Coordinates of all heavy atoms in Angstrom, one line a residue:
M1 N -4.3 19.2 12.2 CA -2.9 18.8 12.5 C -2.1 19.2 11.3 O -2.4 18.8 10.2 CB -2.8 17.3 12.8 CG -1.4 16.9 13.0 SD -1.2 15.2 13.5 CE -1.3 14.3 12.0
L2 N -1.0 19.9 11.5 CA -0.2 20.3 10.4 C 1.2 19.8 10.7 O 1.7 20.1 11.9 CB -0.2 21.8 10.3 CG 0.7 22.4 9.2 CD1 0.3 22.0 7.8 CD2 0.7 23.9 9.3
R3 N 1.9 19.2 9.8 CA 3.2 18.7 10.0 C 3.9 18.5 8.7 O 3.2 18.3 7.7 CB 3.3 17.5 10.9 CG 2.8 16.2 10.2 CD 2.8 15.1 11.1 NE 2.2 13.9 10.5 CZ 2.9 13.0 9.8 NH1 4.1 13.1 9.6 NH2 2.2 11.9 9.4
K4 N 5.2 18.5 8.7 CA 6.0 18.3 7.5 C 6.0 16.7 7.2 O 6.3 16.0 8.1 CB 7.4 18.8 7.6 CG 8.2 18.7 6.4 CD 9.6 19.3 6.6 CE 10.4 19.1 5.3 NZ 11.7 19.7 5.5
I5 N 5.8 16.3 6.0 CA 5.9 14.9 5.6 C 7.3 14.5 5.5 O 8.1 15.1 4.7 CB 5.1 14.7 4.3 CG1 3.6 15.0 4.6 CG2 5.2 13.2 3.9 CD1 2.8 15.0 3.3
Q6 N 7.7 13.5 6.2 CA 9.1 13.0 6.2 C 9.3 11.8 5.3 O 10.4 11.6 4.9 CB 9.5 12.6 7.7 CG 9.3 13.7 8.7 CD 10.3 14.8 8.4 OE1 11.5 14.6 8.0 NE2 9.9 16.0 8.7
N7 N 8.3 11.0 5.0 CA 8.5 9.8 4.2 C 7.7 9.9 2.9 O 7.1 11.0 2.6 CB 8.0 8.6 5.1 CG 8.7 8.5 6.4 OD1 10.0 8.6 6.4 ND2 8.0 8.4 7.5
G8 N 7.6 8.8 2.2 CA 6.9 8.8 0.9 C 5.4 8.8 1.2 O 4.9 8.1 2.1
I9 N 4.6 9.4 0.3 CA 3.2 9.4 0.3 C 2.7 8.5 -0.9 O 3.2 8.6 -2.0 CB 2.6 10.8 0.1 CG1 3.0 11.7 1.3 CG2 1.1 10.8 0.0 CD1 2.4 11.4 2.6
Y10 N 1.8 7.6 -0.6 CA 1.3 6.6 -1.6 C -0.2 6.8 -1.7 O -0.9 6.9 -0.6 CB 1.7 5.2 -1.2 CG 3.2 5.0 -1.2 CD1 4.0 5.2 -0.1 CD2 3.8 4.5 -2.3 CE1 5.3 5.0 -0.1 CE2 5.2 4.3 -2.3 CZ 5.9 4.5 -1.2 OH 7.3 4.3 -1.2
C11 N -0.7 6.7 -2.9 CA -2.1 6.7 -3.1 C -2.6 5.3 -3.5 O -2.1 4.7 -4.4 CB -2.5 7.7 -4.3 SG -4.2 7.7 -4.7
I12 N -3.5 4.8 -2.7 CA -3.9 3.4 -2.8 C -5.4 3.5 -3.3 O -6.2 4.0 -2.7 CB -3.8 2.6 -1.5 CG1 -2.3 2.6 -1.1 CG2 -4.4 1.2 -1.7 CD1 -2.1 2.0 0.2
T13 N -5.6 2.9 -4.5 CA -6.9 2.9 -5.2 C -7.5 1.5 -5.1 O -6.9 0.5 -5.4 CB -6.8 3.4 -6.6 OG1 -6.1 4.6 -6.7 CG2 -8.2 3.5 -7.2
S14 N -8.8 1.5 -4.7 CA -9.4 0.2 -4.6 C -10.3 0.0 -5.8 O -10.5 0.8 -6.6 CB -10.3 0.1 -3.3 OG -11.4 1.0 -3.4
Y15 N -10.9 -1.2 -5.9 CA -11.7 -1.6 -7.0 C -12.9 -0.7 -7.1 O -13.4 -0.4 -8.2 CB -12.2 -3.1 -6.8 CG -13.1 -3.6 -7.9 CD1 -12.5 -3.9 -9.1 CD2 -14.4 -3.8 -7.7 CE1 -13.3 -4.4 -10.1 CE2 -15.2 -4.3 -8.7 CZ -14.7 -4.6 -9.9 OH -15.5 -5.1 -10.9
T16 N -13.5 -0.2 -6.0 CA -14.6 0.6 -6.1 C -14.3 2.1 -6.5 O -15.2 2.9 -6.6 CB -15.3 0.7 -4.7 OG1 -14.4 1.1 -3.7 CG2 -15.8 -0.7 -4.3
G17 N -13.0 2.4 -6.6 CA -12.6 3.7 -7.0 C -12.2 4.6 -5.8 O -11.8 5.7 -6.0
N18 N -12.4 4.1 -4.6 CA -12.0 4.9 -3.4 C -10.5 5.0 -3.4 O -9.8 4.0 -3.7 CB -12.5 4.2 -2.1 CG -14.0 4.2 -2.0 OD1 -14.7 5.1 -2.6 ND2 -14.6 3.3 -1.3
R19 N -10.1 6.1 -2.9 CA -8.6 6.4 -2.8 C -8.3 6.8 -1.4 O -9.1 7.5 -0.8 CB -8.2 7.5 -3.7 CG -8.2 7.1 -5.2 CD -7.6 8.2 -6.0 NE -7.6 7.8 -7.4 CZ -8.3 8.4 -8.3 NH1 -9.1 9.4 -8.0 NH2 -8.2 8.0 -9.6
H20 N -7.2 6.3 -0.9 CA -6.8 6.8 0.4 C -5.2 6.9 0.3 O -4.6 6.2 -0.5 CB -7.3 6.0 1.6 CG -7.0 4.6 1.6 ND1 -7.8 3.7 0.9 CD2 -6.0 3.9 2.2 CE1 -7.3 2.5 1.1 NE2 -6.2 2.5 1.8
F21 N -4.7 7.8 1.1 CA -3.3 8.1 1.1 C -2.7 7.7 2.4 O -3.2 7.8 3.5 CB -3.1 9.7 0.9 CG -3.7 10.2 -0.3 CD1 -5.1 10.6 -0.4 CD2 -3.0 10.2 -1.5 CE1 -5.6 11.0 -1.6 CE2 -3.5 10.7 -2.7 CZ -4.8 11.1 -2.7
V22 N -1.5 7.1 2.3 CA -0.7 6.6 3.4 C 0.7 7.1 3.3 O 1.2 7.3 2.2 CB -0.7 5.1 3.5 CG1 -2.1 4.6 3.8 CG2 -0.2 4.4 2.3
E23 N 1.3 7.4 4.4 CA 2.7 7.8 4.5 C 3.5 6.6 5.0 O 3.2 6.0 6.1 CB 2.9 8.9 5.5 CG 4.3 9.4 5.6 CD 4.5 10.6 6.6 OE1 3.5 11.0 7.2 OE2 5.6 11.0 6.7
C24 N 4.5 6.1 4.2 CA 5.3 4.9 4.6 C 6.8 5.2 4.4 O 7.2 6.0 3.6 CB 4.9 3.8 3.7 SG 3.2 3.3 3.9
D25 N 7.6 4.4 5.1 CA 9.0 4.5 5.0 C 9.6 3.9 3.8 O 10.5 4.3 3.2 CB 9.7 3.9 6.3 CG 9.4 4.7 7.5 OD1 9.2 5.9 7.4 OD2 9.4 4.1 8.6
S26 N 8.9 2.7 3.4 CA 9.5 2.0 2.3 C 8.4 1.3 1.5 O 7.2 1.2 2.0 CB 10.5 0.9 2.8 OG 9.7 -0.1 3.6
E27 N 8.7 0.7 0.4 CA 7.8 0.0 -0.4 C 7.4 -1.3 0.2 O 6.3 -1.8 0.0 CB 8.3 -0.2 -1.9 CG 8.3 1.1 -2.7 CD 8.6 0.9 -4.1 OE1 8.6 -0.3 -4.6 OE2 8.9 1.9 -4.8
D28 N 8.2 -1.9 1.0 CA 7.9 -3.1 1.8 C 6.8 -2.8 2.8 O 5.9 -3.6 3.0 CB 9.1 -3.7 2.5 CG 10.1 -4.4 1.6 OD1 9.7 -4.6 0.4 OD2 11.2 -4.6 2.0
E29 N 6.8 -1.6 3.4 CA 5.8 -1.2 4.3 C 4.4 -1.0 3.6 O 3.4 -1.4 4.1 CB 6.2 0.0 5.1 CG 5.3 0.4 6.2 CD 5.8 1.6 7.0 OE1 6.9 2.2 6.6 OE2 5.2 1.9 8.0
V30 N 4.5 -0.5 2.4 CA 3.3 -0.3 1.6 C 2.7 -1.7 1.2 O 1.5 -1.9 1.3 CB 3.6 0.5 0.3 CG1 2.4 0.6 -0.6 CG2 4.0 1.9 0.7
A31 N 3.6 -2.6 0.8 CA 3.2 -3.9 0.5 C 2.5 -4.6 1.6 O 1.5 -5.3 1.4 CB 4.4 -4.7 0.0
A32 N 3.0 -4.5 2.8 CA 2.4 -5.1 4.0 C 1.0 -4.5 4.2 O 0.0 -5.2 4.6 CB 3.3 -4.9 5.2
Y33 N 0.9 -3.2 4.1 CA -0.4 -2.5 4.2 C -1.4 -3.0 3.2 O -2.6 -3.2 3.6 CB -0.2 -1.0 4.1 CG -1.5 -0.2 4.3 CD1 -2.0 0.1 5.6 CD2 -2.1 0.3 3.2 CE1 -3.2 0.8 5.7 CE2 -3.3 1.0 3.3 CZ -3.8 1.2 4.6 OH -5.0 1.9 4.7
V34 N -1.0 -3.1 2.0 CA -1.9 -3.5 0.9 C -2.4 -5.0 1.2 O -3.5 -5.3 1.1 CB -1.3 -3.4 -0.5 CG1 -2.1 -4.2 -1.5 CG2 -1.1 -2.0 -0.8
A35 N -1.4 -5.8 1.7 CA -1.8 -7.2 2.0 C -2.8 -7.2 3.1 O -3.8 -8.0 3.1 CB -0.6 -8.0 2.4
E36 N -2.6 -6.4 4.1 CA -3.6 -6.3 5.2 C -5.0 -5.9 4.8 O -6.0 -6.4 5.2 CB -3.0 -5.4 6.3 CG -4.0 -5.2 7.5 CD -4.2 -6.4 8.3 OE1 -3.3 -7.3 8.4 OE2 -5.3 -6.5 9.0
E37 N -5.0 -4.9 3.9 CA -6.3 -4.4 3.4 C -7.0 -5.4 2.6 O -8.2 -5.6 2.7 CB -6.1 -3.1 2.6 CG -5.6 -1.9 3.4 CD -6.7 -1.5 4.4 OE1 -7.8 -1.2 4.0 OE2 -6.3 -1.4 5.6
E38 N -6.2 -6.2 1.8 CA -6.8 -7.2 1.0 C -7.3 -8.4 1.9 O -8.3 -9.0 1.5 CB -5.9 -7.7 -0.1 CG -5.7 -6.7 -1.2 CD -4.9 -7.2 -2.4 OE1 -4.2 -8.2 -2.3 OE2 -5.1 -6.5 -3.4
R39 N -6.7 -8.6 3.0 CA -7.1 -9.6 3.9 C -8.5 -9.2 4.5 O -9.3 -10.1 4.7 CB -6.1 -9.8 5.0 CG -6.5 -11.0 6.0 CD -5.6 -11.0 7.2 NE -5.8 -9.9 8.1 CZ -6.9 -9.8 8.9 NH1 -7.8 -10.6 9.0 NH2 -6.9 -8.7 9.7
K40 N -8.7 -7.9 4.7 CA -9.9 -7.4 5.2 C -11.0 -7.4 4.1 O -12.2 -7.2 4.5 CB -9.8 -6.0 5.7 CG -8.9 -5.8 6.9 CD -8.7 -4.4 7.2 CE -7.8 -4.2 8.4 NZ -7.6 -2.7 8.6
G41 N -10.7 -7.7 2.9 CA -11.7 -7.8 1.8 C -11.7 -6.7 0.8 O -12.5 -6.7 -0.1
Y42 N -10.8 -5.7 0.9 CA -10.7 -4.7 -0.1 C -9.8 -5.1 -1.3 O -8.8 -5.7 -1.0 CB -10.1 -3.4 0.5 CG -10.9 -2.8 1.6 CD1 -10.4 -2.9 2.9 CD2 -12.0 -2.1 1.4 CE1 -11.2 -2.4 4.0 CE2 -12.8 -1.6 2.4 CZ -12.3 -1.7 3.7 OH -13.1 -1.2 4.7
T43 N -10.2 -4.9 -2.5 CA -9.4 -5.2 -3.6 C -8.7 -4.0 -4.1 O -9.3 -3.0 -4.6 CB -10.3 -5.7 -4.8 OG1 -11.1 -6.8 -4.3 CG2 -9.5 -6.2 -6.0
V44 N -7.4 -4.0 -4.0 CA -6.5 -2.9 -4.4 C -6.2 -3.0 -5.8 O -5.7 -4.1 -6.3 CB -5.3 -2.8 -3.5 CG1 -4.3 -1.8 -4.0 CG2 -5.6 -2.6 -2.0
T45 N -6.5 -2.0 -6.6 CA -6.2 -2.0 -8.0 C -4.9 -1.4 -8.4 O -4.3 -1.8 -9.4 CB -7.4 -1.4 -8.9 OG1 -7.6 -0.1 -8.4 CG2 -8.6 -2.3 -8.7
S46 N -4.5 -0.3 -7.7 CA -3.3 0.4 -8.1 C -2.7 1.1 -6.9 O -3.4 1.5 -6.0 CB -3.5 1.3 -9.2 OG -4.2 2.4 -8.8
V47 N -1.4 1.3 -6.9 CA -0.7 2.0 -5.9 C 0.3 3.0 -6.6 O 1.0 2.6 -7.5 CB 0.1 1.1 -5.0 CG1 0.9 2.0 -4.0 CG2 -0.8 0.1 -4.3
T48 N 0.2 4.3 -6.3 CA 1.1 5.2 -6.9 C 1.8 6.0 -5.8 O 1.2 6.3 -4.8 CB 0.4 6.2 -7.8 OG1 -0.7 6.9 -7.1 CG2 -0.2 5.6 -9.0
R49 N 3.0 6.4 -6.1 CA 3.8 7.2 -5.2 C 3.7 8.7 -5.6 O 3.8 9.0 -6.8 CB 5.3 6.8 -5.2 CG 6.1 7.6 -4.2 CD 7.5 7.2 -4.1 NE 8.1 8.1 -3.2 CZ 9.1 7.8 -2.4 NH1 9.6 6.6 -2.4 NH2 9.6 8.7 -1.6
I50 N 3.5 9.5 -4.7 CA 3.4 11.0 -5.0 C 4.7 11.6 -4.7 O 5.1 11.6 -3.5 CB 2.2 11.6 -4.2 CG1 0.9 10.9 -4.6 CG2 2.2 13.1 -4.5 CD1 -0.2 11.3 -3.7
C51 N 5.4 12.1 -5.7 CA 6.8 12.6 -5.5 C 6.7 14.1 -5.4 O 5.7 14.8 -5.8 CB 7.6 12.2 -6.8 SG 7.8 10.5 -7.0
T52 N 7.8 14.7 -4.9 CA 7.8 16.1 -4.7 C 7.9 16.9 -6.0 O 7.5 18.1 -6.0 CB 9.1 16.5 -3.8 OG1 10.2 16.0 -4.5 CG2 9.0 15.9 -2.4
D53 N 8.3 16.3 -7.1 CA 8.3 17.0 -8.3 C 7.0 17.0 -9.1 O 6.9 17.5 -10.2 CB 9.5 16.5 -9.3 CG 9.2 15.0 -9.7 OD1 8.3 14.4 -9.2 OD2 10.1 14.5 -10.4
G54 N 6.0 16.3 -8.5 CA 4.7 16.3 -9.1 C 4.4 15.0 -9.8 O 3.3 14.7 -10.3
S55 N 5.4 14.2 -10.0 CA 5.2 12.9 -10.8 C 4.5 11.9 -9.9 O 4.6 12.0 -8.6 CB 6.5 12.4 -11.3 OG 7.4 12.1 -10.3
R56 N 3.8 11.0 -10.5 CA 3.1 9.9 -9.8 C 3.4 8.5 -10.4 O 2.6 8.0 -11.1 CB 1.6 10.2 -9.8 CG 1.3 11.5 -9.0 CD -0.2 11.8 -9.1 NE -0.9 10.7 -8.5 CZ -1.9 10.9 -7.6 NH1 -2.2 12.1 -7.2 NH2 -2.5 9.9 -7.0
P57 N 4.6 8.0 -10.2 CA 4.9 6.7 -10.7 C 4.1 5.6 -10.0 O 3.9 5.6 -8.8 CB 6.4 6.6 -10.5 CG 6.7 7.4 -9.3 CD 5.7 8.6 -9.4
R58 N 3.8 4.6 -10.8 CA 3.1 3.4 -10.3 C 4.1 2.6 -9.5 O 5.2 2.5 -9.9 CB 2.4 2.6 -11.4 CG 1.3 3.3 -12.0 CD 0.6 2.4 -13.0 NE -0.2 1.6 -12.2 CZ -1.4 1.2 -12.6 NH1 -1.9 1.6 -13.7 NH2 -2.1 0.4 -11.8
V59 N 3.6 1.9 -8.5 CA 4.4 1.0 -7.7 C 3.9 -0.4 -7.8 O 2.7 -0.6 -7.7 CB 4.3 1.4 -6.2 CG1 5.2 0.5 -5.3 CG2 4.8 2.9 -6.0
A60 N 4.8 -1.3 -8.2 CA 4.4 -2.7 -8.5 C 4.4 -3.4 -7.1 O 5.3 -4.1 -6.8 CB 5.3 -3.3 -9.5
V61 N 3.3 -3.3 -6.4 CA 3.2 -3.9 -5.1 C 3.0 -5.4 -5.1 O 3.6 -6.1 -4.4 CB 2.1 -3.2 -4.2 CG1 1.8 -3.9 -2.9 CG2 2.4 -1.7 -4.0
K62 N 2.1 -5.8 -6.0 CA 1.7 -7.2 -6.0 C 2.8 -8.1 -6.5 O 2.8 -9.3 -6.4 CB 0.4 -7.4 -6.8 CG -0.7 -6.7 -6.0 CD -2.0 -7.1 -6.6 CE -3.1 -6.4 -5.7 NZ -4.4 -6.8 -6.1
S63 N 3.9 -7.6 -7.2 CA 5.0 -8.4 -7.6 C 6.2 -8.3 -6.6 O 7.2 -8.9 -6.8 CB 5.5 -8.0 -9.0 OG 5.9 -6.7 -9.0
N64 N 6.0 -7.5 -5.5 CA 7.0 -7.3 -4.5 C 7.1 -8.6 -3.7 O 6.0 -9.2 -3.2 CB 6.5 -6.2 -3.6 CG 7.5 -5.9 -2.5 OD1 8.2 -6.7 -2.0 ND2 7.6 -4.6 -2.2
P65 N 8.3 -9.2 -3.5 CA 8.4 -10.4 -2.7 C 7.9 -10.3 -1.3 O 7.4 -11.3 -0.8 CB 9.9 -10.7 -2.7 CG 10.5 -9.8 -3.8 CD 9.5 -8.7 -4.0
Y66 N 8.0 -9.1 -0.7 CA 7.5 -9.0 0.7 C 6.0 -9.1 0.7 O 5.4 -9.7 1.6 CB 7.9 -7.6 1.3 CG 7.7 -7.5 2.7 CD1 8.5 -8.2 3.7 CD2 6.6 -6.8 3.2 CE1 8.2 -8.1 5.0 CE2 6.4 -6.6 4.6 CZ 7.2 -7.3 5.5 OH 7.0 -7.3 6.8
Y67 N 5.3 -8.5 -0.3 CA 3.8 -8.7 -0.4 C 3.4 -10.1 -0.5 O 2.5 -10.6 0.1 CB 3.3 -7.9 -1.6 CG 1.9 -8.2 -2.0 CD1 0.8 -7.6 -1.3 CD2 1.6 -9.1 -3.0 CE1 -0.5 -7.8 -1.6 CE2 0.2 -9.4 -3.3 CZ -0.8 -8.8 -2.6 OH -2.1 -9.1 -2.9
K68 N 4.1 -10.9 -1.4 CA 3.8 -12.3 -1.6 C 4.0 -13.1 -0.4 O 3.2 -13.9 0.0 CB 4.7 -12.8 -2.8 CG 4.3 -12.3 -4.1 CD 5.2 -12.8 -5.2 CE 4.8 -12.2 -6.5 NZ 5.7 -12.7 -7.6
K69 N 5.0 -12.8 0.4 CA 5.3 -13.5 1.6 C 4.2 -13.2 2.7 O 3.7 -14.1 3.3 CB 6.7 -13.1 2.2 CG 7.0 -13.7 3.5 CD 8.3 -13.2 4.0 CE 8.5 -13.5 5.5 NZ 9.0 -12.4 6.2
T70 N 3.8 -11.9 2.8 CA 2.8 -11.5 3.7 C 1.5 -12.0 3.4 O 0.8 -12.5 4.3 CB 2.8 -9.9 3.8 OG1 4.1 -9.4 4.0 CG2 1.9 -9.5 4.9
I71 N 1.1 -12.0 2.1 CA -0.3 -12.5 1.8 C -0.3 -14.0 2.0 O -1.4 -14.5 2.4 CB -0.7 -12.0 0.3 CG1 -2.2 -12.1 0.1 CG2 0.0 -12.9 -0.7 CD1 -2.9 -11.0 0.8
K72 N 0.8 -14.7 1.7 CA 0.8 -16.1 2.0 C 0.6 -16.5 3.4 O -0.1 -17.4 3.8 CB 2.1 -16.7 1.4 CG 2.2 -18.2 1.5 CD 3.5 -18.7 1.0 CE 3.7 -20.2 1.2 NZ 4.9 -20.7 0.7
E73 N 1.3 -15.7 4.3 CA 1.1 -15.9 5.7 C -0.3 -15.6 6.2 O -0.9 -16.4 7.0 CB 2.0 -14.9 6.5 CG 3.5 -15.3 6.4 CD 4.4 -14.3 7.0 OE1 3.9 -13.2 7.6 OE2 5.7 -14.5 7.0
F74 N -1.0 -14.6 5.6 CA -2.4 -14.4 6.0 C -3.3 -15.5 5.5 O -4.2 -15.9 6.2 CB -2.9 -13.1 5.3 CG -2.4 -11.8 6.0 CD1 -2.0 -10.7 5.2 CD2 -2.2 -11.7 7.4 CE1 -1.6 -9.5 5.9 CE2 -1.7 -10.6 8.0 CZ -1.4 -9.5 7.2
I75 N -3.0 -16.0 4.3 CA -3.8 -17.2 3.8 C -3.6 -18.4 4.7 O -4.6 -19.1 5.0 CB -3.5 -17.5 2.3 CG1 -3.9 -16.3 1.5 CG2 -4.1 -18.8 1.9 CD1 -3.4 -16.4 0.0
E76 N -2.4 -18.7 5.1 CA -2.2 -19.8 6.0 C -2.8 -19.7 7.4 O -3.2 -20.7 7.9 CB -0.7 -20.1 6.1 CG 0.0 -20.6 4.8 CD 1.5 -20.6 4.9 OE1 2.1 -20.2 5.9 OE2 2.1 -21.1 3.9
K77 N -2.9 -18.5 7.9 CA -3.5 -18.2 9.2 C -5.0 -18.5 9.2 O -5.6 -19.0 10.1 CB -3.2 -16.8 9.7 CG -1.9 -16.6 10.3 CD -1.8 -15.2 10.8 CE -0.5 -14.9 11.4 NZ -0.4 -13.5 11.9
F78 N -5.7 -18.1 8.1 CA -7.1 -18.1 8.0 C -7.7 -19.1 7.1 O -7.4 -19.8 6.4 CB -7.7 -16.7 7.7 CG -7.3 -15.7 8.7 CD1 -6.2 -14.8 8.4 CD2 -7.9 -15.6 9.9 CE1 -5.8 -13.8 9.3 CE2 -7.5 -14.6 10.8 CZ -6.5 -13.7 10.5

């Protein structure tokens, strides 16, 4: 499948060193994804955004208020 990327690409690195890439509209969407992965048992160590100019700035997902709200909801459910 070949298509043009419309949104931001994020590299999510786990504690084991595994990396996977996701395409998201916003950092809130990335925060929700990271919270869901951590609920499943994966420990996310870093998130970086891959920019068109080649830079890879880190994204502070765990200090994002949406992440904190989402992870709190998961903890209360289970």
Side-chain angles (χ1 to χ4, degrees):
M1 178 173 84
L2 179 65
R3 68 183 176 91
K4 184 177 179 180
I5 296 171
Q6 300 295 323
N7 302 312
I9 298 291
Y10 296 86
C11 176
I12 299 174
T13 306
S14 68
Y15 180 73
T16 59
N18 292 336
R19 291 186 176 112
H20 54 280
F21 299 89
V22 294
E23 180 181 4
C24 298
D25 294 330
S26 67
E27 288 188 13
D28 286 346
E29 191 175 0
V30 174
Y33 179 79
V34 169
E36 176 67 25
E37 291 297 305
E38 289 191 339
R39 186 190 67 78
K40 292 178 184 176
Y42 299 106
T43 304
V44 173
T45 56
S46 70
V47 178
T48 55
R49 181 178 176 144
I50 301 172
C51 299
T52 56
D53 65 357
S55 63
R56 295 178 62 128
R58 292 186 78 140
V59 179
V61 171
K62 294 191 178 183
S63 64
N64 183 325
Y66 191 74
Y67 168 83
K68 290 178 181 181
K69 178 184 163 223
T70 306
I71 201 75
K72 184 178 177 184
E73 289 173 0
F74 285 144
I75 290 170
E76 289 174 355
K77 279 185 181 179
F78 299 101

